[in-house]
Amino acid sequence: MPATSCYKRGMALSAAEAAELAARRACIMEAMDGGVMLLAAAPERVRTADMLYPYRQDSDFAYVTGFPEADAVCVLAPDAPERYVLFVRPHDPERAIWVGARVGIEAAVQQYGADAAFSFDELEQVLPRFLEKAPHVYHNVARDDPLAARLLTAIRRAQAARPRSGTGPTAIRDPADILHELRLHKEPAELARLRQAIAIACEAHRDAMRTARPGMREFEIEALIDFTFRRRGATGPAYASIVAAGANATVLHYTQNDRPLAASELLLIDAGAEYAGYCADVTRTWPTERRYAGAQRDLYEVVLAAQLAALAAVRPGATLEELHQKAVRVLVDALVSLRLLSGSADEAIEKESYRRFYMHRTSHWLGRDVHDVGRYANDGKPRPLEPQMVFTVEPGLYIPADAEDVPEAFRGIGIRIEDDILVTETGAEVLSAAAPKQVAEVEALRAAAFA
């Protein structure tokens, strides 16, 4: 196979998408308090030799520009005549034969709305004119790839010239202070894309429930899920799918996915589609046979009750910490009742002894990234939920197979139930409700697998 560059080749933006991005950039520039913001496209990554991983654009860069290619820089300069500038790779007819046409400089203006566009090779020559009078620069200094380093070098040169020119940046600010707070509150078009990503993920989970049987391997179920993602128009998985049978489900980020499904055990699937740059994150746990049985059913109903308790608490003004505590209380009460924990529930919560079986938090933000951006606390206090925030609710229980001090029936059982939640004006909407989780609903689909 010839050497190839696997960047995603995008079509021109629609009028609605262009308007959406233009309004977003105007909002960002209004919040910048002068200065200049520099954003770098994600670099291409080598997989083997001269072969690259499939390209995914940097989430912040995509959020601001919609531009799909690597080797690109965005400049937002509210006080300059050219407020939105792109540096991109020019057309290369020879390269197009191998990997397809690039967007190019002219289309960066005509199709992606830039006020001006320049060749990526002109970055060091043109960029100083935007920096020389900027009082401060927004740039992500945490990124350490070569392109981000080039931008930091340009900023330092502008700072070094300040003693002679009397102008130039005196500070480097984190663009996350603006971008990530905006990304935390989803716009209507973003919610539409999220809904589609989640709908595709829910269909894949239902397909798996209708298909999996003992004797199949975990990767066969993973392949079915990936097929559904692509068939429905997703770019693929939003993250490495977890298909964990039996005790594998007690490993939180298990992705080996190569074990056969045995009879009379549970299968945990944590799989979400990515659609138009937005990610779903859905987990369901169900029996490899037709029905939940014995200790499996006992623990499953506990986790489901914990999730429902957390969901019932979602409303504007609540916090993710409150939701976590709601889930923890239900889980710990049950762990004590089932004799998996000794002592009282209050003592287990105070000493956090429950973390042996439930070691992660209950929620994280969701959006362009699976673990999306945005602060969880302000001034040391959990931030209140607000409408248009999207996050997960995903309690679980994980009983190690070698936990000899717990009843044998519970050993090696891992259960997680995860839904994607939108905060509304009055409460919450479960965006992933189409993936069954009630026992009767799941068992009805499981019966279809054996029909």
Side-chain angles (χ1 to χ4, degrees):
M1 183 177 182
T4 180
S5 172
C6 296
Y7 64 82
K8 179 184 176 183
R9 292 178 287 277
M11 300 175 63
L13 298 174
S14 69
E17 290 169 331
E20 172 192 346
L21 288 163
R24 187 177 296 157
R25 288 190 293 269
C27 184
I28 293 167
M29 286 191 276
E30 185 177 348
M32 283 172 56
D33 187 29
V36 170
M37 183 178 290
L38 304 181
L39 299 173
E44 295 175 313
R45 302 288 188 185
V46 175
R47 185 177 185 273
T48 58
D50 56 356
M51 305 301 293
L52 303 176
Y53 282 103
Y55 185 70
R56 186 189 190 274
Q57 187 57 276
D58 175 83
S59 292
D60 282 341
F61 192 86
Y63 180 75
V64 174
T65 70
F67 194 79
E69 296 179 6
D71 291 337
V73 168
C74 164
V75 179
L76 296 183
D79 297 328
E82 299 158 330
R83 289 160 51 90
Y84 169 42
V85 175
L86 286 175
F87 292 85
V88 304
R89 299 182 290 196
H91 285 301
D92 183 341
E94 178 67 21
R95 191 80 177 150
I97 295 172
W98 294 87
V99 299
R102 295 170 176 165
V103 172
I105 297 169
E106 291 183 1
V109 174
Q110 297 169 358
Q111 298 178 10
Y112 288 88
D115 297 323
F118 301 91
S119 169
F120 183 70
D121 294 333
E122 298 178 277
L123 182 66
E124 279 76 11
Q125 289 72 46
V126 177
L127 187 57
R129 80 185 199 205
F130 293 96
L131 301 178
E132 60 189 8
K133 295 184 179 180
H136 50 264
V137 178
Y138 292 88
H139 173 62
N140 183 359
V141 296
R143 275 186 54 173
D144 59 0
D145 57 272
L147 178 51
R150 285 174 66 183
L151 295 181
L152 186 58
T153 297
I155 295 169
R156 288 171 173 165
R157 287 174 179 166
Q159 289 178 317
R162 183 174 173 80
R164 290 186 177 275
S165 65
T167 62
T170 59
I172 301 176
R173 299 183 180 180
D174 189 349
D177 290 342
I178 296 174
L179 298 184
H180 293 181
E181 289 303 294
L182 287 175
R183 283 176 55 186
L184 185 55
H185 297 81
K186 304 300 186 288
E187 302 164 5
E190 294 183 282
L191 287 175
R193 296 173 193 128
L194 266 172
R195 289 180 187 278
Q196 182 65 8
I198 295 166
I200 293 170
C202 289
E203 180 176 333
H205 278 270
R206 293 194 304 271
D207 287 347
M209 289 181 190
R210 284 190 289 255
T211 304
R213 297 181 303 279
M216 297 177 70
R217 287 188 173 268
E218 293 164 337
F219 59 70
E220 293 181 70
I221 310 305
E222 180 185 15
L224 170 66
I225 290 167
D226 288 349
F227 170 74
T228 302
F229 288 170
R230 293 296 287 136
R231 181 176 60 85
R232 287 289 308 278
T235 52
Y239 51 92
S241 297
I242 298 168
V243 183
N248 289 342
T250 66
V251 180
L252 298 184
H253 290 162
Y254 170 83
T255 56
Q256 193 166 337
N257 298 354
D258 62 357
R259 175 183 176 279
L261 277 60
S264 303
E265 64 182 8
L266 295 179
L267 178 65
L268 185 156
I269 297 180
D270 186 338
E274 182 174 19
Y275 177 85
Y278 288 80
C279 300
D281 190 1
V282 180
T283 307
R284 293 293 186 263
T285 309
W286 36 270
T288 56
E289 299 285 356
R290 292 172 173 82
R291 297 184 180 279
Y292 298 94
Q296 297 172 357
R297 189 183 190 102
D298 292 340
L299 289 185
Y300 184 84
E301 290 181 339
V302 168
V303 175
L304 180 58
Q307 199 215 28
L308 294 176
L311 290 175
V314 180
R315 67 189 186 285
T319 68
L320 296 184
E321 177 62 25
E322 290 176 27
L323 273 56
H324 179 65
Q325 294 303 327
K326 294 281 188 183
V328 166
R329 170 55 69 174
V330 174
L331 293 174
V332 172
D333 284 345
L335 289 171
V336 171
S337 176
L338 294 169
R339 301 184 183 279
L340 276 75
L341 287 177
S342 60
S344 69
D346 289 342
E347 182 181 7
I349 291 173
E350 181 182 357
K351 295 182 177 180
E352 295 190 333
S353 58
Y354 68 86
R355 288 179 59 85
R356 180 187 179 192
F357 305 125
Y358 180 46
M359 60 291 294
H360 60 79
R361 303 292 293 181
T362 301
S363 299
H364 61 76
W365 305 127
L366 183 68
R368 280 191 171 271
D369 296 322
V370 175
H371 293 163
D372 209 27
V373 296
R375 291 189 297 271
Y376 288 87
N378 288 316
D379 298 324
K381 297 180 181 179
R383 73 182 303 161
L385 295 174
E386 300 172 4
Q388 279 65 64
M389 290 179 172
V390 179
F391 60 94
T392 66
V393 174
E394 50 178 305
L397 286 174
Y398 314 92
I399 315 301
D402 60 356
E404 296 183 358
D405 57 334
V406 304
E408 184 175 0
F410 293 106
R411 297 175 197 168
I413 295 177
I415 298 168
R416 184 165 60 254
I417 305 172
E418 178 179 20
D419 279 303
D420 302 337
I421 313 302
L422 167 67
V423 183
T424 66
E425 296 291 340
T426 58
E429 179 185 352
V430 180
L431 300 176
S432 50
K437 63 185 177 185
Q438 295 291 342
V439 169
E441 296 173 328
V442 173
E443 290 181 345
L445 278 182
R446 292 303 296 139
F450 296 92

